């Protein structure tokens, strides 16, 4: 399992993210590809994000939710 450091994730250009209510939310599809893991057990909310020039509502999670979901999945 790849270790996660939020400071590095915030700088990672390949990961789409959005700040909502003072917290960063990561696009789960990008995180799953980045980690090469199934993140289907991670709790998420739908947030608007611009993808390929169009606004879409996508599944996003906080750093803490991703960590919690990964631990529960193991």
């Amino acid at each position: 399992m790849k270790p996660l450091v939020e400071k590095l994730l915030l700088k990672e250009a390949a990961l789409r993210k959005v700040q909502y209510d003072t917290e960063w939310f990561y696009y789960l599809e990008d995180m799953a590809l980045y980690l090469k893991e199934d993140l289907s057990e991670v709790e998420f909310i739908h947030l608007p994000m611009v993808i390929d020039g169009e606004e879409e509502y996508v599944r996003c999670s906080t750093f803490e939710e991703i960590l919690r979901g990964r631990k529960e999945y193991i």
Side-chain angles (χ1 to χ4, degrees), residues 45-62:
I45 63 171
H46 286 95
L47 289 174
M49 190 174 287
V50 177
I51 297 176
D52 297 327
E54 293 188 26
E55 185 176 82
E56 296 181 34
Y57 280 82
V58 296
R59 296 182 325 149
C60 296
S61 291
T62 64

Side-chain angles (χ1 to χ4, degrees), residues 26-72:
Y26 299 88
Y27 181 31
L28 276 180
E29 190 174 311
D30 286 351
M31 287 298 294
L33 290 172
Y34 177 77
L35 296 170
K36 297 179 178 80
E37 293 179 27
D38 176 20
L39 298 178
S40 61
E41 298 298 315
V42 174
E43 290 191 31
F44 63 89
I45 63 171
H46 286 95
L47 289 174
M49 190 174 287
V50 177
I51 297 176
D52 297 327
E54 293 188 26
E55 185 176 82
E56 296 181 34
Y57 280 82
V58 296
R59 296 182 325 149
C60 296
S61 291
T62 64
F63 181 74
E64 291 79 17
E65 287 295 334
I66 293 167
L67 288 179
R68 188 176 307 119
R70 291 174 84 203
K71 288 179 184 172
E72 290 174 4

